[in-house]
Structures are given as structure tokens and as C-alpha cells.
């Protein structure tokens, strides 16, 4: 199964990229279940052999995973186990340290919630009796009192990890934090508005290139009674194969359907070399009398 997954990842022809991605996801999920079940069976056999030494257990060889060394950028916490004060053999107290064995274990600190109190101190002047106070820092969602790191986490969980807001709200509640679904939805709206200038900057950078790669992919869109197929249009600028110095970038556009009006609108005012597949929706972009051409 690992070999089949590796072949699918290297395969560039034949099966469509969307179908290949779904097939790889399915195979990796099956492989995950098989490896977990194999470990459970091996541990169960070990426990059965330890509990009943008289019974005969089928011989097996448990595969040992070669553990990789943990990344150097991770912080290290040194926990020294209390050393003996006497020799464990003769009981003498004339012992000196000759070395140490270090075992590294990866651990995680559970997510911690905290409330940050921003204090704006007021000062009064004894000469003019005016009040002075520092200016409050701007926040993307001030009325809800939610910090930018929390907003970024919720947005990433929604769009990067495909975690719906209702599931996030349920998890927050289990951690003792009550954030309603409507509050999280408003939070996402504020995040989109705050990030719009960055999206516009990336789009402008991509369309400043003379070569752009265009493609679209299907995306399920929630609709009444189920889902329907919408489109995510991707435009990429990558000048590295042509020894260009501009950094590569991509911007995305969404549409509820695949009509040719969408790429025409996305690339209005741009001229250059567009590399795309033979989807007919791009045909208007290649017309000789197109403005700007």
C-alpha cells in the first residue's frame, strides 16, 4: 500500500489530479488503520504471553520503528533524575559522576486560555487640569474583545484544517470557554475584511508578471438539500524557471459555477502569457481582438 501511494504521488499522467488526491487520502486512511490494528495485535500477543507462561502463543516479530531525532529548534527542558548517594553495589559513598544517559521524549503543553487586561492609565495635569491618556491600540474585532492570535487560529482551523465553526465552538466549550457560533461567524467576517488588502496586494503582484498559470478545481458548496459543485480559480506567478527574481505567489478566486465570465473578469486589464489547460472557458482570453490583448 505504501508503494501504491508513492506511485500515485509521482504519477503525472492518466488519472486526474482531483481524483488522485482523493484516492491517496483514502489509501493513507486505510494504511493508518492497518498499522494501528497491527500494533494492537502485537501488544495483545505480548500481554497474553506474559500473563500465561504455560500457554503457547504464535510466534511473531514486531516491527520496531526507527525514531527520528527531534528538531533542534524545539526547546529542551532538562529533568535530572535524583542520583544515588551511595554505590548500589558496595554501599560506599565515594562515588563520582562519570557520564550520563539522556533520553528525549516529545511532549506538548495543552492549549492555555488567558484574558489580557490592557490598562490605559489616566493622568491629570495640576497646571491646566487637563486629562492625558494613551491611545488605545486598534483591534480587528474590538466589540467582541477577541485578540488577533485567537482570530488567526479560528480562521486557520476553518480554512486550513477544514474544521467548521460549530465544531470549534463545541471544543472551546469543553475547554471552559464559551464562544457562540454567531460570535465566531462575525469573527471570520472581520478577519476577511482585515485581510482583504493583503489579498489585493498578492493579486496585484501576480498580475504584474508577464507569465501566469491559470487553472480551476472543484469545491463543494453548501446548498439547500445538499451540496453543489462550485469552482476555485487559481492564478500562479512563478518566474524561477525563467531566472526571474520576483517571488512566486498565487491568488484564488471563488465562483459558484464554471462559466467563462469568471476568468474574463479575473484577468480583465491584464496582458501577457497565460498558460492553461484546454477548458473552453479560457477561449475568450485568447481572442486576437481582445482588449488589452
Amino acid at each position: 500500500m505504501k508503494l501504491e501511494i508513492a506511485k500515485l504521488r509521482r504519477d503525472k499522467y492518466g488519472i486526474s489530479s482531483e481524483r488522485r488526491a482523493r484516492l491517496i487520502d483514502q489509501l493513507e486512511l486505510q494504511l493508518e488503520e492497518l498499522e494501528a490494528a497491527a500494533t494492537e495485535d502485537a501488544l495483545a500477543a505480548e500481554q497474553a504471553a506474559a500473563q500465561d507462561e504455560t500457554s503457547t502463543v504464535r510466534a511473531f516479530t514486531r516491527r520496531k520503528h526507527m525514531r527520528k531525532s527531534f528538531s533542534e529548534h524545539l526547546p529542551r527542558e532538562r529533568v535530572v533524575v535524583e542520583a544515588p548517594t551511595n554505590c548500589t553495589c558496595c554501599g560506599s559513598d565515594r562515588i563520582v559522576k562519570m557520564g550520563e544517559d539522556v533520553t528525549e521524549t516529545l511532549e506538548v503543553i495543552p492549549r492555555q486560555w488567558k484574558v489580557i487586561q490592557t490598562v490605559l492609565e489616566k493622568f491629570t495635569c495640576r497646571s491646566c487640569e487637563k486629562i492625558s491618556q494613551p491611545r488605545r491600540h486598534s483591534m480587528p474585532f474590538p466589540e467582541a474583545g477577541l485578540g488577533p492570535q485567537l482570530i488567526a487560529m479560528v480562521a486557520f482551523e476553518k480554512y486550513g484544517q477544514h474544521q467548521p465553526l460549530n465544531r470549534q465552538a463545541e471544543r472551546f466549550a469543553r475547554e471552559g470557554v464559551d464562544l457562540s457560533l454567531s460570535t465566531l461567524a462575525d469573527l471570520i467576517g472581520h478577519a476577511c475584511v482585515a485581510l482583504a488588502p493583503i489579498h489585493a496586494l498578492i493579486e496585484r503582484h501576480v498580475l504584474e508578471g508577464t507569465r501566469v498559470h491559470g487553472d480551476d478545481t472543484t469545491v463543494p458548496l453548501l446548498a439547500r438539500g445538499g451540496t453543489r459543485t462550485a469552482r476555485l480559480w487559481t492564478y500562479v506567478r512563478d518566474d524561477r524557471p525563467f531566472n526571474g527574481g520576483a517571488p512566486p505567489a498565487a491568488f484564488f478566486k471563488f465562483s459558484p459555477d464554471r462559466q467563462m465570465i469568471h476568468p474574463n473578469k479575473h484577468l480583465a486589464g491584464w496582458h501577457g502569457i497565460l498558460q492553461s489547460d484546454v477548458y473552453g472557458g479560457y477561449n475568450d482570453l485568447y481572442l486576437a481582438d481582445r482588449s488589452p490583448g
Side-chain angles (χ1 to χ4, degrees):
M1 188 170 287
K2 286 184 177 180
L3 178 61
E4 187 173 354
I5 293 174
K7 287 183 177 180
L8 284 172
R9 290 191 180 281
R10 288 195 299 266
D11 184 23
K12 296 182 180 179
Y13 306 100
I15 188 171
S16 68
S17 59
E18 291 87 358
R19 183 184 169 195
R20 181 170 63 246
R22 290 194 296 267
L23 182 57
I24 290 176
D25 290 340
Q26 293 174 0
L27 290 175
E28 288 182 335
L29 182 59
Q30 294 176 20
L31 180 61
E32 173 186 318
E33 295 295 331
L34 287 173
E35 289 186 336
T39 301
E40 290 180 17
D41 293 341
L43 293 175
E46 289 181 356
Q47 293 174 357
Q51 293 175 359
D52 189 359
E53 297 180 355
T54 61
S55 61
T56 302
V57 180
R58 180 176 59 86
F60 67 91
T61 301
R62 185 182 176 192
R63 183 187 64 184
K64 293 185 178 180
H65 294 275
M66 297 298 294
R67 194 185 73 177
K68 296 181 180 179
S69 58
F70 301 123
S71 301
E72 292 296 329
H73 74 275
L74 295 174
R76 260 64 175 178
E77 178 183 347
R78 185 177 172 89
V79 178
V80 180
V81 179
E82 186 178 357
T85 58
N86 300 89
C87 177
T88 56
C89 182
C90 68
S92 172
D93 59 356
R94 299 180 61 190
I95 58 175
V96 293
K97 180 178 177 179
M98 61 172 293
E100 61 183 18
D101 294 328
V102 179
T103 301
E104 290 193 338
T105 304
L106 185 63
E107 190 54 278
V108 62
I109 300 175
R111 182 164 58 194
Q112 297 178 347
W113 296 85
K114 64 179 179 180
V115 177
I116 299 178
Q117 295 180 335
T118 302
V119 180
L120 303 178
E121 296 181 321
K122 294 182 179 180
F123 294 88
T124 181
C125 178
R126 293 183 177 179
S127 297
C128 65
E129 297 184 353
K130 298 293 185 179
I131 297 177
S132 299
Q133 188 178 29
R135 183 177 300 177
R136 186 182 303 273
H137 294 164
S138 62
M139 297 290 290
F141 197 4
E143 54 269 29
L146 303 179
Q149 295 187 39
L150 175 59
I151 298 177
M153 182 189 71
V154 173
F156 172 73
E157 289 292 327
K158 174 176 171 61
Y159 296 109
Q161 299 299 99
H162 307 289
Q163 288 294 319
L165 296 180
N166 62 315
R167 292 185 181 178
Q168 295 191 53
E170 293 172 358
R171 182 175 180 182
F172 296 161
R174 288 193 293 268
E175 297 175 3
V177 178
D178 184 17
L179 288 176
S180 66
L181 180 60
S182 60
T183 299
L184 295 180
D186 288 342
L187 181 151
I188 291 297
H190 281 77
C192 292
V193 172
L195 293 173
I198 298 179
H199 182 273
L201 181 65
I202 296 175
E203 179 178 353
R204 185 164 65 249
H205 169 74
V206 171
L207 296 182
E208 285 175 352
T210 57
R211 300 178 183 86
V212 170
H213 308 263
D215 201 1
D216 66 287
T217 185
T218 59
V219 57
L221 174 65
L222 285 176
R224 183 172 298 178
T227 60
R228 57 184 177 140
T229 302
R231 292 284 162 174
L232 197 64
W233 304 82
T234 310
Y235 301 96
V236 180
R237 176 186 181 181
D238 189 357
D239 297 333
R240 290 174 299 180
F242 313 100
N243 294 325
F251 76 91
F252 304 88
K253 293 286 188 178
F254 172 83
S255 68
D257 50 52
R258 203 190 185 194
Q259 298 181 19
M260 67 170 58
I261 187 177
H262 301 300
N264 289 346
K265 185 185 301 183
H266 301 159
L267 299 177
W270 178 80
H271 61 91
I273 301 173
L274 174 65
Q275 295 177 309
S276 65
D277 56 20
V278 293
Y279 166 53
Y282 294 114
N283 288 350
D284 282 359
L285 298 172
Y286 294 99
L287 296 178
D289 57 349
R290 175 183 177 267
S291 178

